[in-house]
């Protein structure tokens, strides 16, 4: 009952209330990102959701679009803005995904939505992560986030799908708040983002 009905209801209600409560914080952040990113405060990217259905994820834009002389984007750490570093460290960059939750593309808790090009690289067991809606936070995020291997992340994702419950979601939300407060596991050393998945790591 929780998986198929109450989870969706709670997702919508909590996401709606969270956007209302956080709006006084989000508005100044939005304005600063507009200035830092030449009028582009949001980052949109195609991601696979439940049953591998593609949707566009919404995040605050933390990096500029600066390119080198050959037209290639500069490394992530070179494009990360000062305000972008702050919103990423505090996980504020994830908050616009509450809009994805309202639209029904995502849940508050679930496996994180990854890149479409990874779909063909998953094992049959790893594909089970797409049997539920992706989440803003998840079991893998509260057990290491970017500090653990892809293999371990997928193990956590599938375990979550197989053990999904209200109490588990509640536990993940509380653990997420704690990790955000201490900025734990956000980035691997000297990297703005984690390494790409190649089907082996």
């Amino acid at each position: 009952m929780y998986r198929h009905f109450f989870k969706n209801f709670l997702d919508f209600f909590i996401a709606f209330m969270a956007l209302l409560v956080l709006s006084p914080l989000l508005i100044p952040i939005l304005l600063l990102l507009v200035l830092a990113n030449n009028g582009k405060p949001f980052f949109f990217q195609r991601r696979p959701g439940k049953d591998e259905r593609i949707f566009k994820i919404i995040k605050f834009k933390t990096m500029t679009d600066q390119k080198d002389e050959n037209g290639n984007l500069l490394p992530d750490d070179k494009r990360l803005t000062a305000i972008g570093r702050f919103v990423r460290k505090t996980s504020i960059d994830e908050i616009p995904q509450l809009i994805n939750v309202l639209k029904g593309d995502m849940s508050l808790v679930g496996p994180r939505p990854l890149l479409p090009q990874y779909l063909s690289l998953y094992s049959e067991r790893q594909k089970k992560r797409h049997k539920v809606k992706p989440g803003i936070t998840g079991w893998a995020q509260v057990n290491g986030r970017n500090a653990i291997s892809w293999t371990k992340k997928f193990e956590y994702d599938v375990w979550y799908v197989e053990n999904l419950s209200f109490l588990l979601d509640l536990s993940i939300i509380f653990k997420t708040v704690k990790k955000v407060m201490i900025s734990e596991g956000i980035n691997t050393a000297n990297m703005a983002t984690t390494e790409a998945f190649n089907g082996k790591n």
Side-chain angles (χ1 to χ4, degrees), residues 7 11 101 105-110 133-137 160 169:
K7 184 174 172 67
D11 279 339
V101 175
D105 296 325
M106 293 179 64
S107 175
L108 295 174
V109 180
K133 290 181 182 180
I136 295 177
T137 186
Y160 171 80
D169 278 2

Side-chain angles (χ1 to χ4, degrees), residues 17-195:
M17 295 304 297
L19 284 171
L20 286 180
V21 172
L22 294 172
S23 57
L25 167 67
L26 298 181
I27 291 173
I29 292 291
L30 179 67
L31 293 176
L32 289 172
L33 288 170
V34 166
L35 295 175
N37 296 301
N38 297 316
K40 299 177 180 179
F42 296 109
F43 170 79
F44 300 90
Q45 192 173 52
R46 295 173 71 251
R47 300 287 178 94
K50 187 175 184 291
D51 300 323
E52 301 183 2
R53 183 179 65 84
I54 302 298
F55 70 97
K56 283 190 176 181
I57 197 171
I58 308 169
K59 299 177 71 173
F60 277 134
K61 189 175 176 66
T62 59
M63 294 184 287
T64 68
D65 296 319
Q66 289 179 290
K67 300 180 180 179
D68 60 22
E69 60 275 9
N70 297 315
N72 300 313
L73 288 172
L74 293 176
D76 290 354
D77 59 340
K78 300 293 184 182
R79 297 186 292 120
L80 192 62
T81 63
I83 181 63
R85 185 174 293 106
F86 169 76
V87 300
R88 180 171 290 193
K89 182 178 180 180
T90 56
S91 294
I92 292 174
D93 60 320
E94 310 284 359
I95 293 178
Q97 289 167 68
L98 291 171
I99 298 172
N100 288 120
V101 175
L102 291 178
K103 291 173 61 181
D105 296 325
M106 293 179 64
S107 175
L108 295 174
V109 180
R112 285 294 296 157
L114 303 176
L115 299 174
Q117 54 262 41
Y118 295 168
L119 290 173
S120 63
L121 302 177
Y122 296 143
S123 68
E124 287 303 311
R125 180 163 177 77
Q126 290 169 348
K127 287 181 180 180
K128 289 184 177 181
R129 69 191 310 277
H130 291 290
K131 287 190 174 182
V132 299
K133 290 181 182 180
I136 295 177
T137 186
W139 189 234
Q141 281 59 53
V142 298
N143 281 286
R145 199 171 175 177
N146 288 351
I148 59 177
S149 69
W150 281 110
T151 299
K152 197 66 178 177
K153 286 180 187 178
F154 293 143
E155 287 178 8
Y156 284 135
D157 287 344
V158 174
W159 185 90
Y160 171 80
V161 172
E162 295 175 341
N163 294 273
L164 192 161
S165 70
F166 172 72
L167 290 179
L168 178 58
D169 278 2
L170 194 62
S171 172
I172 290 171
I173 289 172
F174 279 120
K175 289 180 179 180
T176 298
V177 172
K178 179 182 176 182
K179 284 184 173 288
V180 168
M181 294 296 292
I182 62 177
S183 301
E184 180 182 337
I186 290 179
N187 292 315
T188 51
N190 301 316
M191 293 182 67
T193 56
T194 192
E195 64 177 315

